[in-house]
Amino acid sequence: MNHYKWIDAAAMLGCPMIRVNVEGEGNPVEVAKASEESLHMLLEYGSKSKIDVIVENHVGISCNGGWLAGVMKNVDNTHCGTLADFGNFCINRTKPATNDIAGWMGTKCLEEYDRYKGIRELMPYAKGVHAKTHVFDANGNDTETDFAKMFSIIKDSGYAGWVSVEYEGGLMKMYTKDNKYLDDDAGVLATKKLIEKVVTV
C-alpha cells in the first residue's frame, strides 16, 4: 500500500507507469506468490488512473531472469511488465557493511545469472530497458556486456519501446576514487555512442 502514493504521483505528473522492486528471502515459490499478490493489488489500484506497474531485475531473487519472468507470466496482465536491466543479474552477493549506497558499493558479486539468458527471458514482458554501463575499453565497448549481442536479443524479441542509458561509473568513481571510471557526462555520452554504433550495424 505504500506504493499507492507513487501511483497517485505518477497520475498527477502524467507518467504512464511506476517502477517497483520485488524481493524477499526464503522459498522462491513463496516469494513469487507474495510478489504476485502485491502486484495484483498495485495493478488494481493503478487501473483507476491508467498507470502501469513495471518490475526491474534489481536485487536479490529478482536478478534471476527465469524467476522474474515466471512472476510476470503468473500475473498475466498487459499493464504489468519488466524493466530489463543489462547489469542486474547478481543472484548471490556479499552482505553490505551498511545499508546505504556506500555499503552496497563495497559488496562483491559471488554468483551471477547469465545476463544474456536473463534479458532474453525478460524481453517478452519488457516495457522498458536499461542499457547499463560501468567501464569502457579503448574501442568504446563496455567491458562487462556485449552490446551487439544484447541489442540483437532485443531486436529478435520484437520490442519497440524505449532503451534508456544507465551509466553507473560516475557513482562508482565517487565512492572508489578509481579513475578507470568516466565522469557522469562522459559516461552517458559514451554509452549513447556505443548504442548508436551497435544498432546501426
Side-chain angles (χ1 to χ4, degrees), residues 89-197:
F89 288 104
C90 182
I91 55 177
N92 185 16
R93 182 178 292 279
T94 58
K95 298 294 183 183
T98 54
N99 192 24
D100 54 18
I101 294 177
W104 283 99
M105 288 294 106
T107 63
K108 292 184 179 180
C109 185
L110 302 175
E111 182 183 1
E112 185 171 284
Y113 193 83
D114 185 299
R115 64 185 61 203
Y116 306 102
K117 178 184 178 184
I119 292 295
R120 192 173 287 109
E121 291 167 330
L122 297 179
M123 286 313 300
Y125 308 98
K127 289 181 176 290
V129 176
H130 276 172
K132 179 170 285 178
T133 54
H134 294 99
V135 181
F136 301 90
D137 64 20
N139 295 317
N141 295 311
D142 183 78
T143 60
E144 298 173 333
T145 302
D146 182 336
F147 266 52
K149 186 173 182 177
M150 280 298 193
F151 277 88
S152 176
I153 293 170
I154 292 170
K155 182 179 180 180
D156 290 345
S157 75
Y159 177 75
W162 292 98
V163 175
S164 62
V165 169
E166 186 177 7
Y167 174 65
E168 284 190 340
L171 185 65
M172 300 294 289
K173 185 173 185 176
M174 181 190 305
Y175 283 94
T176 66
K177 309 303 180 186
D178 192 330
N179 286 325
K180 71 180 179 182
Y181 301 105
L182 300 174
D183 292 332
D184 287 329
D185 289 349
V188 168
L189 291 173
T191 308
K192 178 177 180 287
K193 185 177 180 180
L194 175 56
I195 293 170
E196 291 170 340
K197 180 174 74 172

Side-chain angles (χ1 to χ4, degrees), residues 1-3 6 17-25 31-32 34-40 42 52-63 67-68 71-72 75 80-85 88 99 104 130 132 166 168:
M1 294 198 180
N2 189 48
H3 288 70
W6 292 17
M17 62 189 71
I18 65 165
R19 170 272 211 179
V20 301
N21 292 332
V22 294
E23 56 183 291
E25 296 181 357
V31 176
S35 298
E36 291 156 16
E37 290 173 355
S38 296
L39 287 169
H40 279 301
L42 281 177
D52 290 353
V53 178
I54 61 174
V55 183
E56 183 176 351
N57 52 308
H58 193 239
V59 291
I61 197 168
S62 72
C63 297
W67 180 89
L68 183 53
V71 169
M72 292 295 107
V75 170
C80 187
T82 58
L83 176 54
D85 189 300
N88 291 349
N99 192 24
W104 283 99
H130 276 172
K132 179 170 285 178
E166 186 177 7
E168 284 190 340

